[in-house]
Amino acid sequence: LTDASITATNGQTIMKFTKLMSEPGEIEILFGDNEFLWAHGSDATLAYHGNNRAAFSLDLAAVGVAAGEEGATNPTDPPVEVEDNRGNVPNAIQGLGGGQDCTVKFCENELTTGFLQKYRINVPDGQDPETCDGCTIDMELIYDGEAWVSIGFSLNGRMIGSEAVIGIPGSTTLKYNLNGYTDN
């Protein structure tokens, strides 16, 4: 991670970071379909998230596709439901809307009420996003309240075996491998 930060001011928690999309030994973020996880706590102490979590799919290949073109996502399409790691379907998750070019400016994805994901894909000059060497993703999570926040990268939408970036207000923003459950 680079440029990682977490702040809690004016009733919002904001975590920001930049991550290489392809890193040896880590789950690759694809210019295409990806499985992500989100979670947040009820306060700034890292603890069990309870129902404050879900898995969602996001197609990053839709970035740069103008609305109405083949491959663009219709914001009125029904939400995609993805099971969480315990077999539940906690939330309906929305994908990209409107075909905005997310290599030019930040795209937004409402994860749940009061929790927003913003992201932008950075493609180095002379690179193609689909085979990019050195592409990064800038990500911001904005939560209405003061609590720890996280975004996970998954191969199957399940927590175990995934990787996550977790930010704790007043502390740090770090990457973690998610290897098991705990209820506390």
Side-chain angles (χ1 to χ4, degrees):
L1 295 181
T2 60
D3 304 320
S5 67
I6 180 101
T7 58
T9 55
N10 300 322
Q12 285 190 319
T13 301
I14 302 172
M15 179 173 73
K16 299 179 182 183
F17 63 88
T18 300
K19 181 183 182 322
L20 281 168
M21 293 177 67
S22 179
E23 297 181 73
E26 297 197 9
I27 295 172
E28 185 173 5
I29 300 171
L30 303 171
F31 190 77
D33 291 325
N34 292 273
E35 297 294 324
F36 291 96
L37 311 168
W38 64 262
H40 65 79
S42 55
D43 59 34
T45 302
L46 185 60
Y48 180 58
H49 49 62
N51 289 325
N52 299 324
R53 86 303 189 231
F56 66 100
S57 297
L58 190 60
D59 182 357
L60 297 178
V63 299
V65 179
E69 289 183 13
E70 186 177 336
T73 321
N74 184 343
T76 61
D77 285 347
V80 177
E81 292 185 345
V82 179
E83 285 186 2
D84 72 5
N85 53 2
R86 296 182 182 171
N88 302 313
V89 181
N91 288 326
I93 306 300
Q94 301 286 345
L96 284 172
Q100 179 176 317
D101 186 344
C102 303
T103 64
V104 174
K105 60 184 184 176
F106 278 87
C107 288
E108 296 183 354
N109 185 31
E110 184 174 28
L111 301 171
T112 191
T113 303
F115 197 20
L116 181 68
Q117 173 194 33
K118 294 172 70 173
Y119 58 94
R120 179 180 59 214
I121 297 172
N122 306 299
V123 181
D125 289 339
Q127 292 289 322
D128 172 330
E130 293 182 30
T131 58
C132 189
D133 182 28
C135 281
T136 61
I137 187 165
D138 293 332
M139 202 166 290
E140 294 182 18
L141 296 178
I142 304 166
Y143 174 71
D144 290 339
E146 185 173 332
W148 64 266
V149 295
S150 69
I151 190 81
F153 314 101
S154 177
L155 294 173
N156 57 12
R158 304 214 181 272
M159 186 187 90
I160 295 178
S162 296
E163 298 163 350
V165 176
I166 302 175
I168 304 168
S171 185
T172 59
T173 299
L174 296 171
K175 285 192 291 188
Y176 296 88
N177 291 319
L178 305 178
N179 297 317
Y181 296 110
T182 182
D183 286 340
N184 52 31

